[in-house]
Every structure is written in C-alpha cells, then in structure tokens.
Amino acid sequence: MDLDRGIVQNSDKRKESWKTVLTLAYQSLGVVYGEISTSPLYVYRNTFAEDIGHSETNEEIYGVLSLVFWTLTLVPLVKYVFIVLKADDNGEGGTFALYSLLCRHAKVGLLPNCQLADEELSEYKKHSCGMAPERSLAFRLKSLLERHKVLQRILLVLALLGTCMVIGVGVLKPTISVFSAVSGLELSMSKEHHRYVEVPGACIILIGLFALQRYGTDKVGFLFAPIVCIWLFCISAIGIYNIFYWNPHVYQALSPYYVFQFLKKTRRGGWMALCGILLCITGSEAMFAGLGHFSQLSIKIAFTSLVYPSLILAYMGQAAYFSRHHDVEQEYHFGFYVSVPEKLRWPVLVIAILAAVVGSQSIITGTFSIIRQCSALSCFPRVKVVHTSSKIHGQVYIPEINWLLMLLCLAVTIGFRDTKLMGNASGLAVVSVMLVTSCLMSLVIVICWHKNVMLAIGFVLFFGTIEALFFSASVIKFFEGAWVPVALAFVFLSVMCVWHYGTLKKYEFDVQNKVSLSWLLSLGPTLGFARVRGIGLVHTELVSGIPAIFSHFVTNLPAFHQILVFLCIKHVPVPHVRPEERFLVGRVGPRDFRVYRCIVRYGYHDVHKDDDEFEKDLVCSIAKFIQAGSGGGCNNSSNDEPEKGGGKMTVVGTCSSTSHHPILVSENAHEVNHVDKAETSSESHKVVKPKKKVRFIVPESPKIDTGAMEELKELMQAREVGVAYIIGQSYMRAKPGSSMLKKLAINLGYEFLRKNSREPSYELSAPHASSLEVGMMYQV
C-alpha cells in the first residue's frame, strides 16, 4: 500500500478552502467528538453518587453545574482549542507527538540509530522558531536536558506513562459509555429485571463493537458524523425544553459564585465529587490526538460552534430538571434519562446507544494509532498493523490489541456493574493523560516555541493546579475502581520499558561488535570469496560499519553475491518522511567492490510498501546514487556523513518521487499460479490474475561516464537474477554477573516479548525462497 501522495496532500492542510475546512469539521464530529459528546449520560449520576446530597435550596445542583461549565470552558476550550492544538507535530497530535517534537528541538531522544542526516529532513524542523539565544533560559533548559541522561529517561517515562493511560482510557471509556447508554432501560422495567438485562446487553454491544473494528473506520465512517449530530441536537433540544419548562433562571448558576458556595457547604464531599465532574471533559485529549486526520481550524470550528454549546445546554437542562425534582435522588440516582420527556425516551435511548458506540470507536482507533506510533519508535513490541484505508493514512487496525481491549472491557463491565466504579476508574486515567500533556506542553512552550519561561510556568501552574485537584479527588477513590487504570498502566509501562531497554542493549552490542572496515578492505574486490550473480541484502540496525552477522555468515559460507547491500530500515521521530528523501545511499569501500549501504527512513506514521515495490525503489535509489557519483546531474541533496573508504552518503528519492531516472522501468503482465475462486449461481470457475514483472533497462547517455555505465549494467543484471535477503536472528542473554533485575528484564522479559511479537515487516515481506536466517547469541 502506497500512501505517499496522500501524505503529501495531508501536509498542506493550511491551504485548504473553506468548503474543505467545513467538510472536515463535519467529519470530525464523528471521529473526534463522539467521546466527549456522550458525557452527559453519566456526569450527574457519578457526581451525586454518594458524596453529596440534593437539598431544597439547590445549592448542590447549582454548584455542580457551575463547576461543569467552568471545567468545560477552561480545559477543552481554553487549554486544548486555543493552546495545545498549536503544538502539532507537522499535523500530528497526541502525547507522543509532543515528545517527538521535543526530541527534534533538543537532543533528548533515546532512539539508537539517529544520524545528523536525519536533521536535514524537510519535516524535521518544519515551522521551527530558530535557535534560542545562548544566555536565555530556554537554551539553558535545553542544555540541561541534553547533558543528563537521567532527565532524558524521566522524560521518556513520562511520555510512556501518558501513552499507557491513553490505553487505559481505551478500555474504560467504551465500558462506561455503552453501560450508561443501556442503563436507560431502568425506566421501563423493574429493578429485578433490569439487572439481568443491563450487563448482558452492554456486553453484547461491546463484543459487536470490537468485532467490527477489522473493517476499519473508513467502511462505516460515513455514519458517524450524522449520529453525533443527531445526538447533539437531541441533548441540546431537550436541554432548552427543560430550561424553559422547569427553571428559566438556571443560567444564573453559571456564575463562579456558586462554585465557592458549593465547596463551602459540602467541604470534603464536594471535593470528592470532583471525580464525577471530571468526566465532563473525557474526550478532550481526542481533539489533540485527532489532528492526524483533520486540521486545527476544522477541529476548532466543530467544537466552538456545535459541540461546546450543545453540551452546555444539555447540562443546564439537566440541572433545571433536577432543581424541581428532589425525589430523583432516591429513585433513579440522577440518571440522564429521567430528565428526558417520557414520550422521547425510547428514541433517545436508541440514539444514545449509537452515539456511545461512535464515541467508543474514536478512542479505540486512537489507541491503535498510538500503539503503532510507540512500536515504530521501539517503545512497544512489534504487532500486526492492518491499514484499513487506502486513501486516509493513520486509520489502522491491530488484531492483538483489539481482542485484548475487548476482553478487558468485558472484565470491567462484568466486574464493576456500576457506573460509579467505572467513572472513578475512567476519571483517573483521563486526568493523568491531561497532567502529562500539561508537563510536556510547558517544555514545548520554552524549548520549541522559545517563549518566556514565565509563560510556561504560568501555563503549568494554572492548568496543572486544576488538573491536580481532579487528580487528588480521583486518587482517593483508588479502592473504589480507580485502581484499574493504575494496574493497566503498570503492566503496559513495564512492557514498554523492558522492550525499549532490550532494544537499546541489542543495538549497543551490535555497535561494540561490528567488524572494522579495514578488514573488508584487506580482502580486495572479491572480498576473499566467490562472488555469485545476484543482489544480496544484509539487514542490519547499524547505520555505519560492518555488522557482525556478515562476518559470521561468510565464515560458514565463503561465497556472496556480486552486488552487496547493507540495508538499514529505521524510523525517525517525524510523522512522515517525504518520498524524495526516503533513501540514504553510500558506498562501503571502493567502487570496484560493488558494496553499498542503503538506509531507508520512515516516519512513525508512514506506511511500508510491499516487497515488489520496495525492491524496485531500492534498485532505483542505488542507480541514482551511481549516476550522481558520475556527474550525471542528480538533483537530490546530499549530506556530509562520509562512509569510510567509500565517500559521502546521498539522499535519494523513490521511483515515484521524480521523473528523472538513470534507468528505465518497464512493467509486463505475465500469468502466475495465483488463482481466485468466484462462485456463481450455476458453477464455480477460476480467475487467473496477472502479476506485473518489473524489468530495468540502462539507456545510453553521454552524461554518464563509462565506469558508472558498467556499474549500472552490472546492477541491472544482478537484479534480473534475483535478490537474496540475509536476516539476522538474535537471542539475548544477560552477561554472567549481571544484576538480578537485568537478568529478569533481558532473559525473561525481553526474550518472552521477542518470541511472542511479530517479526519486523521486512522479514515478513521477504520471499521465503529468497531469504536466509543467520542466528547469533548476544550477551549484553
């Protein structure tokens, strides 16, 4: 699947017309705002669960409404819409995008195979504010982080902790949304029958929701926006009706005066009730995470013009109804449906269930996306990633994570069977993500935006204090459900840290045991053994030097291919790498050795091409490099990182990124033994699909010297013979005398994850008949 063209178009969102912006704003309602739009289902019910009462003076209900209004105004509207959305990572958002942004502006990243050439990528410091003055606090803070590895590790753990809490939200949010929507059945049946319907009904909906994930958002996405629009229209219309019918003066409760009166009267109970009020902003982080699919302007328009007013009207309407019904506390515990007119309850129930499914869909998709991002940056074990859309990048499905989330959702639903416990758990996960975002955002303000440090301190103090109050109320409920996100975060954080630690140790071993280039040069042009026809690709994580796997291979089999390529496929901390900057090619040794190094760079949201397309681009990139070395007028930029004994590395694009090629590529269809069966009403017949075979032709050109022409012809002849993949299989063990913690992390933790995770994509796509695995034992 090739989404390069779509990615380039996606990066130019600022140039979109108003028609496109409004269309994106409409679509964002279903993908981004489904989660926050369903919060009126359970906010009042969780707030008034046990901690506070509902007196005749209505001080409690007015105070809660005022707190909900100011929380919605300050956190989603002010913090996210007007501030955090500006901190996008080349159009991408989310907790890990903030960390990626910091890694590019300060050398705080812990990726093992970074190069100076990566900083020359056009997306690396796009929209950068330049360098901070040396005597500024921004420069000092940056230098402090770059000097101390401990601070860099703390920063990584902070970003991973936020990611783990997002996964926790992916478990808890679908649970509470669906369960709260189904709870509307309590008004139409007895309590004895209701408890036998509520939990099974919620479980059936959750199973159906996760079963549909394999079809992708792209298949059913056209239904999402209308459902959320209808839902927002319903809750706002019902809110307006309740305001005018029950209490037209409820708007006075928006004054912050009622907040102080509420806290003064309820004291500890009011503070504990913050755990329920916090649920009104669940889904705020989705606005930032959804930047990968939509533009800043479209998300702002959708929230300020429709979502925010609808939610305020819905909460005001519920408060107006409760202010005239003081017996609702004993009978229905401040449920959403009790404030809905009786004739509309069944239609609203159906719409609420659909809206809950849509809201759950958005957080599940976001969980897939952030896990894929962590896996690309070596912070999560490799998993199977299925791209569900050929037009929109970022829409992915991860089968293992999908079924794991489903089992966890079912366990929480069956285990808790109460929106209060679910709300306590969900609230802690949500506010933890927000606290991590505030901390990372304060660093972005100073290091990336070069703003006054007092502005960053003011930001983290103001919003951090608000979120810390909610966090403290949620932590108190630890034994009442809030332990679930903590337990989930501990497990996932342990997995991420062990995997990242093992990956770093493996790369350090490769660097320490790589073969010196002088050994290769001493072998001569034949490399000391027979050179057979074809191209040999040696996969390695190293960006320089000869990997130990190569010497291990030739020791046991003293023959190799006439064209030898050391291939490194790596991810860089940017969302996307442009096709024209994909390859970094150079020589290893003199020209007559026919040994090359090719580094293929992907962003953490890039899509890997299939095997045939990748081989074609790889051969084209080497051919372009040969042409550039002959003075053939290659227009690609080059960097100043020389490969010892072989000259400098050159940036080369894919075949599709430029129309100027030193070779001609022709595609001929030929029949292969690939058969599809198509059943009709009368008989079953076979359909043979043609497969394209790529052939390379070297045209005569006076701009290319004789030596380069011979080298190009030899490359094309080797490609016609075939490509062999030499893949290393490493088994890691901790060195004798290592600490018990290191032995547990490497021998048990990392090895267990490695054996049960997916192989790298290039290993899976390599033809089995053309691949050869070389095993090695690593002692780290």
Side-chain angles (χ1 to χ4, degrees):
M1 184 185 299
D2 185 7
L3 302 182
D4 286 338
R5 181 173 298 180
I7 291 169
V8 173
Q9 292 175 351
N10 188 70
S11 65
D12 296 329
K13 292 174 182 173
R14 292 177 176 80
K15 301 178 181 178
E16 291 169 339
S17 65
W18 274 104
K19 181 180 179 181
T20 306
V21 169
L22 293 177
T23 302
L24 288 174
Y26 171 73
Q27 293 175 346
S28 70
L29 293 172
V31 178
V32 175
Y33 294 113
E35 185 180 355
I36 195 172
S37 298
T38 55
S39 58
L41 287 170
Y42 44 78
V43 168
Y44 281 111
R45 185 166 189 161
N46 279 67
T47 303
F48 286 92
E50 290 180 3
D51 302 309
I52 56 176
H54 181 30
S55 63
E56 294 290 337
T57 60
N58 289 324
E59 290 181 325
E60 295 86 357
I61 194 67
Y62 288 166
V64 170
L65 173 60
S66 185
L67 277 169
V68 168
F69 170 75
W70 287 107
T71 302
L72 271 173
T73 302
L74 293 176
V75 179
L77 184 63
V78 178
K79 176 186 174 181
Y80 281 93
V81 171
F82 293 119
I83 301 176
V84 176
L85 283 182
K86 296 180 181 179
D88 65 301
D89 182 13
N90 293 328
E92 301 293 334
T95 304
F96 224 81
L98 288 176
Y99 176 73
S100 176
L101 198 62
L102 289 170
C103 289
R104 297 206 306 276
H105 287 79
K107 296 178 181 179
V108 297
L110 296 176
L111 285 176
N113 49 7
C114 296
Q115 297 173 277
L116 289 176
D118 298 338
E119 299 180 12
E120 298 177 5
L121 292 170
S122 57
E123 299 288 330
Y124 200 87
K125 289 188 178 179
K126 190 177 181 181
H127 312 302
S128 175
C129 298
M131 294 292 293
E134 291 190 8
R135 296 185 179 181
S136 65
L137 288 175
F139 183 82
R140 295 176 184 176
L141 178 60
K142 175 184 172 183
S143 301
L144 181 67
L145 290 173
E146 291 177 344
R147 286 198 309 268
H148 296 86
K149 284 285 185 183
V150 175
L151 295 179
Q152 296 174 18
R153 295 190 182 100
I154 292 174
L155 192 62
L156 175 63
V157 171
L158 186 65
L160 293 180
L161 180 61
T163 301
C164 293
M165 285 300 179
V166 170
I167 299 174
V169 175
V171 173
L172 297 166
K173 177 60 183 178
T175 304
I176 189 174
S177 295
V178 173
F179 193 84
S180 298
V182 175
S183 67
L185 295 171
E186 67 184 348
L187 299 178
S188 58
M189 61 180 63
S190 63
K191 292 184 178 179
E192 289 74 15
H193 293 135
H194 175 254
R195 63 182 179 180
Y196 294 111
V197 174
E198 189 176 34
V199 174
C203 290
I204 291 173
I205 293 174
L206 286 172
I207 291 173
L209 172 65
F210 284 98
L212 290 174
Q213 294 302 312
R214 62 188 296 265
Y215 298 105
T217 305
D218 189 46
K219 304 293 187 302
V220 292
F222 67 95
L223 290 174
F224 286 4
I227 290 174
V228 176
C229 281
I230 294 172
W231 168 249
L232 290 173
F233 172 76
C234 285
I235 61 176
S236 58
I238 294 170
I240 293 173
Y241 168 80
N242 286 331
I243 291 171
F244 284 97
Y245 189 82
W246 295 110
N247 189 354
H249 301 288
V250 73
Y251 69 90
Q252 296 176 356
L254 302 182
S255 170
Y257 166 79
Y258 288 92
V259 174
F260 297 106
Q261 287 295 106
F262 169 76
L263 296 176
K264 181 180 178 181
K265 180 178 181 179
T266 56
R267 298 181 181 274
R268 187 176 186 275
W271 172 58
M272 299 279 282
L274 292 176
C275 189
I277 296 169
L278 166 65
L279 297 177
C280 73
I281 54 176
T282 56
S284 301
E285 192 75 20
M287 287 190 287
F288 186 37
L291 276 177
H293 303 284
F294 307 98
S295 61
Q296 289 185 27
L297 185 58
S298 63
I299 291 178
K300 291 179 180 179
I301 289 175
F303 185 78
T304 55
S305 63
L306 182 59
V307 178
Y308 177 75
S310 299
L311 290 175
I312 297 300
L313 289 172
Y315 288 117
M316 288 177 64
Q318 289 184 70
Y321 179 88
F322 294 141
S323 67
R324 295 293 184 264
H325 297 80
H326 296 85
D327 58 340
V328 74
E329 180 180 7
Q330 289 76 26
E331 295 183 10
Y332 300 113
H333 306 288
F334 291 88
F336 166 78
Y337 294 99
V338 73
S339 64
V340 178
E342 188 172 354
K343 294 181 179 180
L344 299 177
R345 283 176 183 170
W346 278 105
V348 172
L349 173 66
V350 174
I351 298 172
I353 292 175
L354 293 175
V357 170
V358 171
S360 303
Q361 171 69 39
S362 63
I363 188 61
I364 293 169
T365 304
T367 304
F368 292 157
S369 180
I370 198 167
I371 288 178
R372 175 203 174 198
Q373 184 175 337
C374 291
S375 180
L377 297 179
S378 302
C379 293
F380 196 86
R382 292 181 294 267
V383 290
K384 180 180 180 181
V385 178
V386 180
H387 297 272
T388 59
S389 174
S390 59
K391 299 177 181 178
I392 304 174
H393 79 281
Q395 292 190 1
V396 295
Y397 165 68
I398 304 177
E400 299 95 330
I401 301 300
N402 180 66
W403 303 123
L404 178 61
L405 290 178
M406 187 192 75
L407 292 176
L408 292 173
C409 283
L410 294 177
V412 172
T413 302
I414 298 172
F416 283 168
R417 290 172 289 179
D418 184 10
T419 54
K420 178 193 172 184
L421 300 178
M422 297 176 187
N424 294 340
S426 181
L428 181 60
V430 168
V431 75
S432 299
V433 176
M434 292 181 177
L435 278 171
V436 170
T437 300
S438 295
C439 295
L440 295 178
M441 189 65 203
S442 62
L443 293 176
V444 169
I445 291 173
V446 177
I447 296 177
C448 303
W449 293 355
H450 303 157
K451 300 295 184 182
N452 192 298
V453 70
M454 297 306 298
L455 185 63
I457 294 174
F459 174 86
V460 75
L461 283 180
F462 181 75
F463 293 106
T465 301
I466 296 173
E467 291 155 3
L469 287 173
F470 286 118
F471 182 80
S472 62
S474 299
V475 169
I476 294 298
K477 303 291 184 71
F478 182 83
F479 295 105
E480 299 177 37
W483 60 269
V484 172
V486 176
L488 291 174
F490 176 78
V491 172
F492 280 101
L493 185 62
S494 299
V495 169
M496 291 178 177
C497 290
V498 167
W499 183 262
H500 186 69
Y501 177 74
T503 303
L504 288 179
K505 287 298 178 182
K506 180 177 179 296
Y507 183 77
E508 289 175 4
F509 181 90
D510 285 336
V511 172
Q512 294 169 2
N513 293 273
K514 64 183 179 182
V515 180
S516 64
L517 190 60
S518 58
W519 170 80
L520 184 69
L521 296 175
S522 65
L523 299 177
T526 62
L527 301 185
F529 42 79
R531 302 291 291 270
V532 298
R533 299 175 65 192
I535 298 177
L537 296 182
V538 181
H539 287 275
T540 175
E541 299 292 329
L542 296 176
V543 294
S544 63
I546 310 300
I549 182 180
F550 177 70
S551 62
H552 184 71
F553 175 79
V554 298
T555 301
N556 294 277
L557 185 63
F560 217 84
H561 299 81
Q562 65 185 104
I563 302 295
L564 177 61
V565 181
F566 293 111
L567 179 65
C568 173
I569 300 176
K570 70 172 189 175
H571 288 84
V572 291
V574 295
H576 307 287
V577 175
R578 293 179 178 272
E580 57 268 23
E581 300 173 327
R582 178 79 67 208
F583 292 90
L584 196 61
V585 186
R587 295 187 192 277
V588 180
R591 171 182 282 187
D592 54 353
F593 275 45
R594 302 294 192 259
V595 181
Y596 309 93
R597 181 180 307 282
C598 185
I599 301 171
V600 189
R601 301 176 292 185
Y602 288 96
Y604 54 76
H605 275 319
D606 276 333
V607 181
H608 291 215
K609 295 184 176 182
D610 57 37
D611 180 54
D612 292 334
E613 191 74 14
F614 178 78
E615 280 188 14
K616 182 179 75 173
D617 284 340
L618 179 64
V619 173
C620 285
S621 67
I622 297 175
K624 289 180 185 178
F625 167 75
I626 295 172
Q627 181 196 31
S630 70
C634 183
N635 295 324
N636 296 303
S637 60
S638 62
N639 63 70
D640 55 358
E641 290 185 11
E643 182 76 50
K644 293 181 180 179
K648 59 186 179 181
M649 303 280 284
T650 302
V651 178
V652 182
T654 61
C655 285
S656 58
S657 63
T658 178
S659 58
H660 179 70
H661 300 292
I663 54 178
L664 298 178
V665 182
S666 63
E667 295 179 346
N668 299 318
H670 68 289
E671 291 186 357
V672 295
N673 296 325
H674 181 72
V675 179
D676 281 355
K677 291 183 179 180
E679 296 185 359
T680 64
S681 56
S682 58
E683 60 179 353
S684 176
H685 62 277
K686 297 181 180 180
V687 178
V688 180
K689 288 186 177 181
K691 183 179 179 181
K692 291 183 178 180
K693 182 178 180 180
V694 180
R695 296 182 62 87
F696 298 93
I697 304 170
V698 182
E700 297 294 335
S701 174
K703 297 181 180 180
I704 304 178
D705 60 41
T706 305
M709 184 64 69
E710 290 298 324
E711 192 174 1
L712 284 172
K713 289 181 179 179
E714 190 173 343
L715 175 65
M716 297 306 104
Q717 292 171 0
R719 173 60 182 84
E720 290 298 319
V721 172
V723 178
Y725 298 81
I726 313 300
I727 302 169
Q729 289 290 350
S730 60
Y731 304 89
M732 290 179 59
R733 286 290 182 271
K735 291 180 180 179
S738 300
S739 65
M740 182 60 66
L741 183 61
K742 183 176 181 180
K743 289 181 179 179
L744 288 174
I746 297 297
N747 297 354
L748 294 180
Y750 180 80
E751 278 300 299
F752 173 80
L753 294 174
R754 185 190 63 81
K755 291 177 182 177
N756 292 277
S757 63
R758 298 275 294 182
E759 297 294 337
S761 57
Y762 58 80
E763 294 187 21
L764 292 173
S765 62
H768 293 288
S770 303
S771 60
L772 178 64
E773 294 184 354
V774 181
M776 288 188 67
M777 173 66 73
Y778 286 19
Q779 284 195 341
V780 298

